[in-house]
């Protein structure tokens, strides 16, 4: 280990949510209320039928559910409950406006209407023939009719076929075969949903207000005064096009990142820039700006090249800052959608792009979700100076549902510790626990147990040669907020 590497090893990092706004959607009209998902600090947005919302439609007259036969590539039909495949009977929306949508099916085709009124799910991309309006009953917004592009309404016939041939007239009764009970079985709560849901004119002031108020200079002072020495700042790929990013995103995130660097320099903090959202989405989650849960990154060379350009832009812009500690090439790519070959190809090119502008900054490369955390070691070897492998360790997923407090602690001290040891090699890259949080599934845990959970994780993850980062600095859910945990005596960092 070189002296430069030694001087920057064992970093204790406070995770900072600053640039990419990941949030929950909530119902509301002109001034929606604020709500939050535990991992996503919140913004006010309309929760009703945003991009990626998953809808199911049940014909009340036929007592049957709309479904894409074979999951797509064939007709849209209606089937009784006993024959329903829930995945095939779920339609993800692409929002055009508050009432107008495209419907995407399981196999990624879009629902269309033919000239004869037939309803099929065969289109590879949406157009005029794939554009529908959801007309809602005034007294029950979940009782709906679906107006097709031909101006007629979808209608379930007695043989369970579906056609777009019903007229305007309806009593909204359960006898009308064009009336459906609509159920929303899932929403997505990311920056794409905010920007496309609001529209540019409304989204811009909402996001800029968030960037100007959610994290401020005083937070950097708090970070520095509590034994933390760096911040990990997530960004989206469109930041490289600021102030005029491609639709639906709005400008302003680059200015927020510039401010963060100024504050970091003032309070002698390091900055890790982490690419949280790659073009096409590297994991299908809302925090990677997926429109509908699809994962498209890395399926072609274009998305890889575009992502390399983003790294080149960011490294060039901040290489001269004394606070630039590391460039994170990509957060949480998901296997098997992101293949190891495509990821290695990108990491090599992204590393080279960062090195064109800085030889001092570390280059952080995340392991794949649902992959082997050690799979990248054979690629790294000892040939990439300043390389860092990033792993994320959590204890609140389904694996830990029935575990006691003691069993959670044992898992961290045994399983996660062993995994971390396997990543820490003499001549290989540094190891980094890039995300963790003192949150678990243990019900009615005491303060002392939460303190123990946090302390054990800091001890174990502190063995990583590049340190750790807590998710996140601020959150309305107390244990997810490092600020709250510190202020209320659950975490103490000054002695580390």
């Amino acid at each position: 280990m070189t002296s430069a590497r030694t001087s920057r090893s064992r970093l204790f990092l406070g995770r900072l949510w600053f640039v990419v706004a990941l949030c929950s959607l909530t119902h509301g009209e002109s001034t929606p209320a604020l709500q939050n998902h535990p991992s996503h600090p919140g913004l006010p947005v309309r929760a009703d039928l945003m991009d990626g919302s998953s809808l199911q439609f049940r014909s009340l007259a036929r007592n049957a559910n709309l479904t894409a036969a074979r999951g797509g590539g064939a007709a849209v039909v209606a089937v009784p409950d006993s024959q329903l495949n829930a995945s095939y009977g779920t339609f993800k929306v692409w929002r055009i406006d508050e009432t107008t949508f495209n419907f995407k099916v399981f196999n990624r085709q879009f629902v269309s209407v033919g000239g004869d009124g037939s309803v099929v799910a065969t289109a590879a991309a949406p157009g005029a023939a794939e554009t529908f309006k959801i007309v809602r009953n005034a007294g029950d917004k979940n009782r709906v009719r679906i107006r097709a592009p031909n101006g007629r309404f979808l209608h379930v016939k007695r043989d369970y076929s579906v056609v777009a041939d019903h007229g305007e007239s309806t009593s909204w009764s359960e006898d009308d075969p064009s009336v459906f009970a609509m159920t929303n079985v899932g929403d997505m709560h990311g920056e794409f949903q905010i920007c496309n849901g609001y529209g540019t004119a409304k989204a811009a002031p909402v996001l800029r207000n968030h960037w100007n108020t959610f994290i401020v200079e005083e937070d950097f002072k708090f970070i520095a005064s509590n034994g933390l020495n760096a911040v990990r700042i997530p960004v989206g790929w469109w930041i490289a096009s600021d102030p005029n990013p491609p639709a639906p995103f709005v400008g302003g995130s680059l200015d927020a990142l510039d401010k963060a660097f100024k504050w970091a320099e003032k309070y002698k903090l390091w900055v890790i820039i982490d690419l949280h959202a790659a073009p096409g989405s590297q994991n299908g989650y809302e925090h990677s700006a997926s429109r509908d849960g699809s994962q498209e990154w890395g399926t072609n060379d274009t998305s890889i090249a575009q992502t390399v350009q983003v790294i080149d832009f960011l490294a060039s812009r901040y290489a001269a800052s004394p606070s630039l500690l590391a460039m994170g090439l990509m957060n949480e790519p998901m296997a098997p959608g992101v293949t190891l070959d495509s990821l290695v190809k990108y990491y090599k090119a992204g590393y080279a792009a960062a090195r064109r502008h800085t030889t001092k900054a570390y280059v952080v490369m995340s392991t794949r979700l649902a992959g082997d955390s050690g799979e990248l070691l054979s690629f790294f070897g000892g040939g990439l100076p300043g390389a860092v492998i990033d792993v994320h360790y959590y204890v609140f997923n389904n694996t830990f549902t029935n575990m006691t407090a003691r069993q959670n602690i044992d898992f961290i001290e045994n399983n996660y510790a062993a995994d971390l040891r396997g990543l820490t090699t003499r001549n290989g890259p540094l190891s980094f626990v890039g995300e963790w949080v003192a949150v678990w599934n243990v019900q009615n845990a005491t303060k002392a147990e939460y303190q123990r959970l946090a302390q054990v994780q800091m001890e174990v993850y502190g063995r990583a040669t590049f340190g750790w980062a807590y998710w996140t600095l601020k959150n309305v859910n107390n244990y997810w907020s490092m600020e709250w945990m510190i202020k209320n005596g659950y975490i103490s960092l000054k002695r580390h």
Side-chain angles (χ1 to χ4, degrees):
M1 183 178 292
T2 65
S3 58
R5 180 175 291 183
T6 302
S7 67
R8 287 186 171 184
S9 66
R10 298 199 177 278
L11 307 176
F12 298 96
L13 310 175
R15 176 62 183 274
L16 173 61
W17 190 261
F18 192 86
V19 176
V20 176
L22 304 183
C23 62
S24 286
L25 309 181
T26 182
H27 295 284
E29 297 303 324
S30 59
T31 310
L34 286 172
Q35 291 185 357
N36 294 267
H37 183 280
S39 62
H40 305 158
L43 288 172
V45 290
R46 300 179 190 274
D48 199 29
L49 305 188
M50 305 293 272
D51 287 278
S53 291
S54 297
L55 305 182
Q56 296 175 347
F57 300 96
R58 181 179 184 83
S59 169
L60 299 175
R62 307 300 183 212
N63 195 29
N65 308 276
L66 291 188
T67 188
R70 301 197 299 270
V76 173
V77 298
V79 298
D81 291 344
S82 60
Q83 299 176 25
L84 179 65
N85 178 317
S87 295
Y88 294 177
T90 299
F91 300 83
K92 291 192 174 183
V93 302
W94 280 22
R95 178 185 170 108
I96 298 171
D97 59 37
E98 291 186 3
T99 62
T100 312
F101 307 90
N102 308 126
F103 296 126
K104 193 175 183 182
V105 300
F106 181 78
N107 288 336
R108 300 186 178 183
Q109 296 98 336
F110 290 86
V111 177
S112 306
V113 171
D116 60 353
S118 60
V119 183
V120 297
T122 57
E130 290 74 42
T131 301
F132 297 81
K133 283 188 176 290
I134 295 178
V135 179
R136 309 176 92 158
N137 178 264
D140 180 358
K141 68 177 184 178
N142 292 318
R143 182 166 289 201
V144 305
R145 304 175 82 209
I146 304 171
R147 187 191 296 274
N150 64 4
R152 311 291 280 179
F153 289 88
L154 267 58
H155 160 209
V156 179
K157 300 175 73 173
R158 292 186 183 279
D159 65 357
Y160 295 111
S161 62
V162 179
V163 293
D165 67 353
H166 204 284
E168 292 283 351
S169 177
T170 182
S171 64
W172 290 101
S173 71
E174 294 188 5
D175 295 329
D176 186 335
S178 72
V179 174
F180 297 88
M182 181 180 73
T183 303
N184 185 342
V185 296
D187 285 313
M188 294 190 68
H189 305 153
E191 188 156 335
F192 189 102
Q193 284 71 32
I194 296 170
C195 294
N196 201 48
Y198 267 113
T200 301
K202 293 182 179 179
V206 167
L207 284 168
R208 286 170 185 161
N209 178 68
H210 175 71
W211 291 322
N212 289 333
T213 60
F214 186 65
I215 297 293
V216 295
E217 181 179 342
E218 189 66 23
D219 296 306
F220 279 69
K221 182 178 180 181
F222 173 84
I223 291 166
S225 65
N226 279 278
L228 298 160
N229 61 11
V231 292
R232 178 175 179 253
I233 304 179
V235 302
W237 61 271
W238 55 93
I239 196 173
S241 301
D242 208 87
N244 298 301
F249 302 106
V250 301
S253 61
L254 186 60
D255 179 64
L257 185 56
D258 286 344
K259 289 180 180 178
F261 266 90
K262 290 179 182 177
W263 297 333
E265 290 167 7
K266 179 176 179 178
Y267 294 102
K268 303 298 188 293
L269 295 170
W270 281 316
V271 173
I272 300 170
I273 305 175
D274 189 80
L275 186 64
H276 234 65
S281 175
Q282 71 276 18
N283 54 37
Y285 293 137
E286 52 226 314
H287 58 73
S288 63
S290 176
R291 181 171 192 169
D292 60 12
S294 297
Q295 179 185 354
E296 305 291 346
W297 183 90
T299 57
N300 56 63
D301 289 343
T302 300
S303 63
I304 294 176
Q306 186 178 2
T307 315
V308 172
Q309 291 173 359
V310 175
I311 298 302
D312 186 271
F313 169 82
L314 292 168
S316 173
R317 188 176 185 88
Y318 298 108
S321 171
S323 285
L324 179 63
L325 175 65
M327 295 292 306
L329 298 186
M330 181 180 292
N331 179 69
E332 295 183 345
M334 174 76 81
V338 173
T339 67
L340 188 57
D341 286 345
S342 65
L343 189 62
V344 167
K345 181 178 183 179
Y346 165 62
Y347 279 169
K348 287 180 177 178
Y351 179 90
R355 284 287 170 260
R356 281 194 290 272
H357 303 286
T358 173
T359 58
K360 295 181 180 179
Y362 293 95
V363 181
V364 180
M365 307 181 200
S366 176
T367 58
R368 295 189 300 169
L369 296 179
D372 176 10
S373 63
E375 64 193 357
L376 291 176
L377 284 177
S378 60
F379 153 59
F380 280 116
L384 296 177
V388 179
I389 289 185
D390 179 8
V391 292
H392 297 171
Y393 293 147
Y394 287 113
V395 291
F396 61 81
N397 58 38
N398 291 339
T399 302
F400 303 89
T401 299
N402 296 314
M403 285 190 180
T404 65
R406 181 66 258 173
Q407 288 171 328
N408 276 267
I409 298 299
D410 288 344
F411 192 96
I412 294 165
E413 293 182 322
N414 297 319
N415 299 63
Y416 281 157
D419 187 73
L420 188 57
R421 284 196 300 272
L423 294 176
T424 308
T425 60
R426 180 179 296 275
N427 296 316
L430 298 178
S431 55
F432 177 39
V433 181
E435 292 184 16
W436 69 275
V437 66
V439 172
W440 51 8
N441 294 326
V442 177
Q443 300 299 311
N444 301 314
T446 65
K447 180 175 182 178
E449 287 173 322
Y450 272 103
Q451 289 172 322
R452 180 61 177 159
L453 174 65
Q455 182 62 31
V456 166
Q457 289 187 95
M458 287 190 289
E459 290 173 355
V460 172
Y461 308 155
R463 300 166 195 162
T465 50
F466 194 70
W468 52 255
Y470 193 92
W471 177 277
T472 182
L473 178 67
K474 286 186 174 183
N475 199 291
V476 296
N477 298 275
N478 292 339
Y479 303 114
W480 289 85
S481 169
M482 189 172 220
E483 178 185 60
W484 186 91
M485 295 288 277
I486 291 172
K487 288 182 176 180
N488 288 275
Y490 285 79
I491 288 178
S492 176
L493 292 160
K494 293 183 178 180
R495 64 176 177 272
H496 287 281

